[in-house]
Amino acid sequence: MGLGSLPEWFTACAEVLAVCTALFLPQYRAYRDRKESLARMRRVTKGMLAALVDERQARPSADPAQLESAQELELYLRVSFFVLSEAREIALRGQVERLYRRLVGPAPDLAALRREVAAL
């Protein structure tokens, strides 16, 4: 039995690569999409928290729950509770919610919270 010609070997290798691509490309794309989604969520929540810290600092006597940035962030947290399924996104949501609760609480340490938001 012969080993076959070079074109047959080339065709066999190309078929194996095509099958590997068909099997693993969707998984890689899903992984990349999840990673981008987490980065986007991190940017959005970080911006919303920073806006709340700024607004809380600019209006210290106002009711924190009535601030526009607090209402937007609370709405985002409510919606994300039903939408998120990825463990890392759920963990990030938990961190953001803890920071939010501290920000709308009585007499928050805004400088410490600003550092925590920056480290997020």
Side-chain angles (χ1 to χ4, degrees), residues 5-21:
S5 65
L6 186 60
E8 289 173 341
W9 276 96
F10 181 75
T11 302
C13 289
E15 287 181 18
V16 168
L17 288 173
V19 168
C20 289
T21 301

Side-chain angles (χ1 to χ4, degrees), residues 43-60:
R43 277 192 315 272
V44 167
T45 55
K46 195 173 185 178
M48 293 175 93
L49 283 168
L52 179 55
V53 170
D54 292 342
E55 193 170 2
R56 186 76 201 263
Q57 195 168 24
R59 300 174 54 194

Side-chain angles (χ1 to χ4, degrees), residues 72-92:
E72 289 174 358
L73 185 55
E74 185 176 5
L75 179 62
Y76 180 86
L77 290 171
R78 285 184 184 181
V79 170
S80 67
F81 179 79
F82 296 106
V83 174
L84 300 178
S85 60
E86 174 82 24
R88 292 183 297 174
E89 290 176 340
I90 292 171
L92 177 60

